[in-house]
Amino acid sequence: MTLTETTSPGQTTTLSFELELSHPREKIWRALTEPRLLSEWLLPIVELRLEPGAAFEFRAPEQPGWDGLVSCRLLESREGELLSYRWVAGGIDTVMTFTLAASASGTRLSIVQSGFNEAQKQNFGGARYGWKMMTGRLIELLGRAS
């Protein structure tokens, strides 16, 4: 299982990563959409519904400069293929998109966070660090979850 950052050099508005995973899409989809599993690798989640327009929140412990709240709104969901939602937290308003596709090793998971503006370089760097850490936790979860 490997994580590759696919963000274009010099890019400051869109982060992108790809993971090659040796798990079926159904298992990865559950990790992206089942609140108990999602809370284990990403952030504690409140009331995720896979209906376009549905609002939900992630609630993490407060940190300096951030109240720990991520407000989200589901934009699109195609079971086993695509999950996209608006992600608003700590002064950023971005879109998260997860795309799953079959690959030779199992499943390729693409993660894209888009919509940073040029003045949010610190947020961009923090998100880059955060996604590398959280995808590591996702890989651990997939290794032990049935």
Side-chain angles (χ1 to χ4, degrees):
M1 291 182 249
T2 58
L3 170 68
T4 304
E5 182 171 354
T6 55
T7 305
S8 299
Q11 173 66 257
T12 59
T13 60
T14 301
L15 281 170
S16 57
F17 301 92
E18 283 195 0
L19 285 100
E20 281 293 331
L21 301 163
S22 61
H23 303 284
R25 281 194 291 181
E26 297 78 21
K27 184 175 187 176
I28 298 163
W29 182 254
R30 286 194 314 269
L32 295 174
T33 60
E34 290 183 12
R36 181 185 61 79
L37 297 174
L38 191 55
S39 293
E40 282 190 48
W41 73 270
L42 187 52
L43 293 168
I45 190 166
V46 179
E47 293 196 37
L48 174 63
R49 292 186 337 267
L50 297 178
E51 303 164 6
F56 59 97
E57 294 178 338
F58 291 99
R59 290 190 188 152
E62 288 186 30
Q63 298 180 20
W66 182 44
D67 63 4
L69 182 64
V70 181
S71 299
C72 300
R73 184 164 306 277
L74 190 71
L75 301 173
E76 187 176 359
S77 173
R78 290 194 312 266
E79 187 169 348
E81 295 178 14
L82 177 83
L83 182 66
S84 180
Y85 47 84
R86 188 170 172 208
W87 172 284
V88 180
I92 64 169
D93 187 344
T94 58
V95 173
M96 289 301 315
T97 304
F98 300 88
T99 308
L100 293 88
S103 71
S105 63
T107 303
R108 179 177 301 113
L109 172 62
S110 169
I111 301 172
V112 176
Q113 185 172 11
S114 60
F116 292 94
N117 67 48
E118 294 295 325
Q120 295 175 321
K121 290 182 181 173
Q122 185 173 358
N123 300 92
F124 187 86
R128 172 181 276 140
Y129 171 81
W131 284 114
K132 289 178 179 180
M133 178 186 64
M134 288 183 256
T135 54
R137 293 181 4 197
L138 173 61
I139 291 168
E140 288 176 21
L141 171 69
L142 291 168
R144 69 176 189 276
S146 52

